[in-house]
Amino acid sequence: MAFDLELDVRRDSNVKFAPLEIPTPRRQETDMYAKDDPRSALTTAAPAPTAKAVPTYARAEYAKFYETAPQEIRDGARTWYARGQNFLVAYTDVDGEVTWERADQPDEYVVLLPEDGLTVELSDPGTSVITDKASVIVMPPGKSSVTARGKGRLVRLFTTQSSDLAALCSNAGAYERPHPNLPPFQPWPEPKAGWAIRCYPLDVPPVPGRFGTIYRCTTFMVNAFEIKPPRDAKNLSPHFHDDFEQCSLALDGSYIHHIRFPWITDSTQWLPDDHEICAAPSVAIIPPPSLHTSQGIDPAGNRLVDIFSPPRVDFSQKPGWVINEDEYPMG
């Protein structure tokens, strides 16, 4: 019953949320995390964004797949597409057999299997890999195919260099002009052993001090979390990023995405806070330099996957955080 009441909030425009406490400009980013949060040890701590740091803003983007029709239906598969500036997310519910082919893919893309059960065959001209385990799979540029058989869900991640897929996104119009505060996309160096299909397990035992389960390639960093209980409202972690978007893919449960923008000298650019409730499946695309945190609220459990394109430097600099760091040089 408590969960139903929480979800009803998103339908009631009269509900008011208490404002987040925003730190003063002198406060360091590391102060925004609890002492037991692994991110508190990041070496990239910086003052909170100030009024003169940013000339303009872009709003956050939300895609609630459970509220909208899929952009693509074929062969028993229903697929929703949504994008950020550099990347797009293709979320698919599979019931049957479906194949996606890429004839001349310009760069690496990622296939995410959130749980065991769905059988997936991944092929390029020289290799074929079959798995039914929860995995993060990196697919090489060029010609490739992905075939899913059975019943389950699958997520594909592409950069917006795949313009045919970017055009399918429900929020494609929001990026007709590039969003501010984001540098041009630059892929990271090629893998040491060359292009290949690389399949990485999600069932990696947690390690004290490591933040989630992180894999990276030339185009993406994927950080998958386990299912978690509701988050303590007195122990959130508001923080900001200077120059990259964060895509939070909700796979289970429901989240409130709290987002606040610093005031700048041009008051016509000031934006109201977001306290957006997104159930699963959905994506929230969080722009820089907003102060943000996501609060899981479903008593049955909540699960996010955080997606960055290109990979994050600060996470990559932490020894042992990126599980496949030996295969991919840093940018």
Side-chain angles (χ1 to χ4, degrees):
M1 183 64 68
F3 177 45
D4 292 336
L5 291 174
E6 294 276 17
L7 288 183
D8 285 344
V9 173
R10 69 183 173 211
R11 306 185 186 96
D12 187 349
S13 60
N14 294 320
V15 172
K16 303 298 183 184
F17 290 88
L20 295 174
E21 292 184 6
I22 193 165
T24 64
R26 293 183 180 180
R27 191 172 183 178
Q28 299 297 304
E29 183 178 359
T30 50
D31 293 334
M32 298 181 187
Y33 300 112
K35 292 181 179 179
D36 60 352
D37 189 316
R39 291 172 294 178
S40 65
L42 290 175
T43 59
T44 54
T50 62
K52 64 180 180 180
V54 182
T56 189
Y57 298 132
R59 294 307 306 252
E61 293 286 316
Y62 304 102
K64 302 176 183 181
F65 302 146
Y66 55 90
E67 287 187 347
T68 59
Q71 281 70 53
E72 182 180 79
I73 301 175
R74 64 183 181 88
D75 300 332
R78 303 164 70 240
T79 302
W80 290 259
Y81 292 87
R83 65 167 289 180
Q85 181 141 302
N86 296 332
F87 60 88
L88 65 93
V89 177
Y91 176 94
T92 302
D93 284 330
V94 178
D95 188 3
E97 179 174 330
V98 60
T99 297
W100 297 277
E101 295 183 340
R102 302 300 293 168
D104 191 18
Q105 175 64 26
D107 50 16
E108 285 187 311
Y109 66 102
V110 172
V111 178
L112 169 66
L113 302 179
E115 51 266 320
D116 295 349
L118 185 68
T119 298
V120 178
E121 182 175 358
L122 310 114
S123 300
D124 67 12
T127 312
S128 183
V129 176
I130 298 176
T131 184
D132 62 358
K133 299 300 183 183
S135 307
V136 173
I137 303 152
V138 179
M139 298 294 292
K143 184 177 182 180
S144 65
S145 67
V146 177
T147 299
R149 301 182 182 95
K151 188 178 179 68
R153 51 188 180 169
L154 175 148
V155 181
R156 291 169 296 144
L157 307 174
F158 296 86
T159 74
T160 49
Q161 297 300 306
S162 296
S163 56
D164 58 324
L165 301 180
L168 298 176
C169 292
S170 59
N171 64 334
Y175 289 89
E176 289 181 354
R177 288 186 175 184
H179 282 198
N181 311 314
L182 294 166
F185 175 79
Q186 290 290 334
W188 279 29
E190 295 182 12
K192 297 176 182 178
W195 303 119
I197 299 172
R198 293 179 166 88
C199 188
Y200 303 111
L202 277 183
D203 61 345
V204 177
V207 173
R210 191 180 70 209
F211 185 62
T213 299
I214 304 176
Y215 294 106
R216 72 166 184 248
C217 62
T218 60
T219 50
F220 283 96
M221 174 176 282
V222 177
N223 188 9
F225 299 95
E226 68 276 12
I227 293 178
K228 296 182 178 181
R231 195 166 182 181
D232 183 356
K234 295 181 179 180
N235 191 31
L236 302 184
S237 58
H239 62 284
F240 72 96
H241 311 302
D242 283 325
D243 59 1
F244 60 86
E245 288 178 317
Q246 174 174 319
C247 175
S248 290
L249 167 64
L251 291 173
D252 296 285
S254 189
Y255 286 84
I256 306 175
H257 298 291
H258 303 284
I259 300 177
R260 168 167 286 184
F261 295 85
W263 288 358
I264 57 178
T265 53
D266 180 359
S267 65
T268 67
Q269 297 289 330
W270 293 358
L271 298 174
D273 293 352
D274 283 2
H275 300 283
E276 189 77 15
I277 296 183
C278 295
S282 63
V283 296
I285 299 170
I286 301 166
S290 61
L291 189 68
H292 63 272
T293 189
S294 296
Q295 178 185 2
I297 61 173
D298 186 347
N302 306 275
R303 178 164 54 146
L304 276 182
V305 175
D306 284 341
I307 298 159
F308 306 96
S309 179
R312 286 181 64 158
V313 173
D314 56 350
F315 281 12
S316 295
Q317 289 175 332
K318 294 293 292 181
W321 275 30
V322 179
I323 298 170
N324 66 336
E325 63 183 345
D326 291 342
E327 295 187 77
Y328 282 91
M330 278 192 58

